[in-house]
Amino acid sequence: MRVAVAAAALLASMPAYAGGIGPLVMGGFHTEEVAYYYSRTNSGTGARIPNQQDWEQVFDPQIIGNAGGGLELVLGDRDNLIQGVFRAFYMLDTPQLNPVGDAELLDSGAAVTAFREDIKHIGVGTVGLTFGVVRGASDRLKLAVAVHLGAGFLTNDHTEFALAQAGPNLSYLFSRTVEGYIDVSYGVRFRKTVSHGLYGSLGIRYLFD
């Protein structure tokens, strides 16, 4: 979070003589570990475990989908290879699946589960930089590497997390004032444990001088 705050301060101090603003949509997935407990039997011996404190904890890794949309603000001239980026968007996580598929285990009390059955609503903010790598022959097409740092700072279940993303960014200048882009990034969430994911963003910017 300190890195994100420092980057935000740096970008805020830059004179906004040129840049762009516009909507974005995003989607992707990340991994989560869902925990559940077997309360009656030991996996090695098959013997019943009478003490709840001794129940075996089992983790079920799941792939959780994401989707959302918001706004992006870019600082830097359209001809610059390095630009500052600020993103603020809403994102939802799809529900987790029941890690215990056997209904008899649940009905008999042999398994106790703890998983999220509802959609998770998240407010996300990131700051970052895009580093231009190469331009097309007409200078309209630009391939860059984008790095974003921030957080899911607002959630409906009080499970805020740090977020870091990095990956390629491809943009195309349709006119002097309109630019479209798409990027795909590897993302890391951190809240007590590390979660890995893949995110894609698509957007259009209105450019100003």
Side-chain angles (χ1 to χ4, degrees), residues 15-44:
Y17 296 133
I21 188 170
L24 69 89
V25 293
M26 61 78 59
F29 62 87
H30 71 282
T31 59
E32 286 185 3
E33 285 192 340
V34 182
Y36 59 98
Y37 300 81
Y38 287 103
S39 62
R40 287 191 172 181
T41 58
N42 181 285
S43 60

Side-chain angles (χ1 to χ4, degrees), residues 30-84:
H30 71 282
T31 59
E32 286 185 3
E33 285 192 340
V34 182
Y36 59 98
Y37 300 81
Y38 287 103
S39 62
R40 287 191 172 181
T41 58
N42 181 285
S43 60
T45 64
R48 181 171 177 174
I49 303 175
N51 188 344
Q52 179 178 339
Q53 300 298 323
D54 296 330
W55 291 354
E56 293 185 30
Q57 186 178 31
V58 182
F59 291 96
D60 176 40
Q62 296 185 7
I63 295 177
I64 306 297
N66 319 117
L71 289 174
E72 180 185 71
L73 173 66
V74 176
L75 296 180
D77 189 88
R78 60 178 59 82
D79 296 324
N80 291 351
L81 287 179
I82 300 178
Q83 295 175 313

Side-chain angles (χ1 to χ4, degrees), residues 57-192:
Q57 186 178 31
V58 182
F59 291 96
D60 176 40
Q62 296 185 7
I63 295 177
I64 306 297
N66 319 117
L71 289 174
E72 180 185 71
L73 173 66
V74 176
L75 296 180
D77 189 88
R78 60 178 59 82
D79 296 324
N80 291 351
L81 287 179
I82 300 178
Q83 295 175 313
V85 181
F86 170 76
R87 290 178 173 178
F89 56 96
Y90 160 78
M91 178 170 63
L92 64 84
D93 287 355
T94 57
Q96 296 173 342
L97 301 176
N98 188 341
V100 180
D102 191 336
E104 290 186 4
L105 290 176
L106 294 174
D107 294 339
S108 65
V112 177
T113 64
F115 65 99
R116 177 174 51 81
E117 300 181 78
D118 301 320
I119 290 174
K120 180 176 179 179
H121 303 275
I122 310 166
V124 182
T126 63
V127 294
L129 294 170
T130 59
F131 301 89
V133 177
V134 64
R135 287 186 180 276
S138 64
D139 282 344
R140 290 181 177 269
L141 190 68
K142 181 175 68 175
L143 177 63
V145 174
V147 178
H148 305 278
L149 299 175
F153 63 90
L154 184 64
T155 65
N156 61 321
D157 58 358
H158 306 291
T159 54
E160 291 74 20
F161 55 86
L163 176 66
Q165 297 173 297
N169 176 284
L170 186 66
S171 62
Y172 184 81
L173 195 63
F174 295 101
S175 69
R176 180 173 174 79
T177 57
V178 178
E179 183 180 51
Y181 70 90
I182 184 171
D183 63 41
V184 178
S185 60
Y186 163 72
V188 174
R189 294 186 182 192
F190 178 76
R191 178 184 171 84
K192 298 181 180 179

